[in-house]
Amino acid sequence: HLRWEVRRKALLEVIRELDADIVCLQEIDNYNKFWVKEMGRLGYCGVYKQRNSGSKFDGCATFYRGNRFERVHVHSIEFDDLGTTECQGVPDFKTHNVALLTLLRPVGGQSCCICVGNAHLFWDPSYEELKIAQARCLVEAAVELVQARDKAAPIVLAGDFNS
């Protein structure tokens, strides 16, 4: 359903039923007005990266159970700033696609971190090369973060890859 009043209840019900320790959402708006409060009630902490667009106000949100993980580091990505426009078949306009890399450490343990990537890639099927370039940038940034912070950390990628 497209009406926000109906959709938000359905989304929260699915999240509640899944009972996941980590939740990655894309095309999220109302982050501060709705998501922080509602996910907080379910025991989640979160990080958010909004698109850098004057006309689109959504973004990527990564939520994690505050009693299970502590946030170690967050790195946000704006794909338009990463040289993806150098690829063949790439549009000469901004896509405003974004991603988040969140390094989480289990609470109370000495175990290694986990790197959670959450991305929203470009939608248009005629720009396959651009989507591949954005995905490559995401993976490279995740590997770079893990190499710098915790070489043993596994990388988990989630998102709307529009593929």
Side-chain angles (χ1 to χ4, degrees):
H1 202 280
L2 295 178
R3 282 197 1 243
W4 174 238
E5 297 78 29
V6 176
R7 267 193 18 221
R8 69 182 181 186
K9 291 176 185 174
L11 289 168
L12 284 173
E13 185 58 33
V14 168
I15 291 168
R16 194 176 295 112
E17 287 176 9
L18 291 173
D19 195 32
D21 289 335
I22 300 170
V23 177
C24 296
L25 302 172
Q26 304 78 38
E27 296 189 38
I28 291 299
D29 53 11
N30 298 307
Y31 178 76
N32 288 315
K33 290 181 181 177
F34 176 78
W35 289 103
V36 170
K37 179 177 70 172
E38 295 299 327
M39 293 299 278
R41 287 181 183 159
L42 297 175
Y44 291 97
C45 301
V47 294
Y48 178 71
K49 173 59 181 165
Q50 184 175 325
R51 288 184 191 229
N52 59 343
S53 167
S55 61
K56 295 181 180 181
F57 302 102
D58 64 292
C60 293
T62 301
F63 294 98
Y64 56 93
R65 294 240 185 238
N67 64 344
R68 300 289 313 266
F69 295 100
E70 64 178 325
R71 185 175 66 217
V72 175
H73 184 77
V74 176
H75 176 70
S76 63
I77 299 170
E78 295 182 5
F79 289 111
D80 290 334
D81 295 340
L82 294 179
T84 55
T85 55
E86 297 168 6
C87 300
Q88 184 178 21
V90 170
D92 60 355
F93 55 84
K94 302 272 187 196
T95 67
H96 306 291
N97 291 105
V98 296
L100 275 172
L101 294 171
T102 308
L103 199 59
L104 300 171
R105 176 177 292 119
V107 169
Q110 295 297 327
S111 57
C112 70
C113 295
I114 181 172
C115 179
V116 179
N118 182 8
H120 183 200
L121 304 187
F122 193 54
W123 66 272
D124 192 330
S126 61
Y127 291 103
E128 226 175 86
E129 293 295 321
L130 173 60
K131 289 189 255 191
I132 292 169
Q134 289 178 337
R136 184 181 63 243
C137 288
L138 174 65
V139 170
E140 288 172 355
V143 168
E144 191 175 302
L145 175 61
V146 165
Q147 291 297 317
R149 298 281 183 151
D150 184 347
K151 289 181 172 54
I155 298 170
V156 177
L157 300 179
D160 180 350
F161 299 111
N162 280 309
S163 55

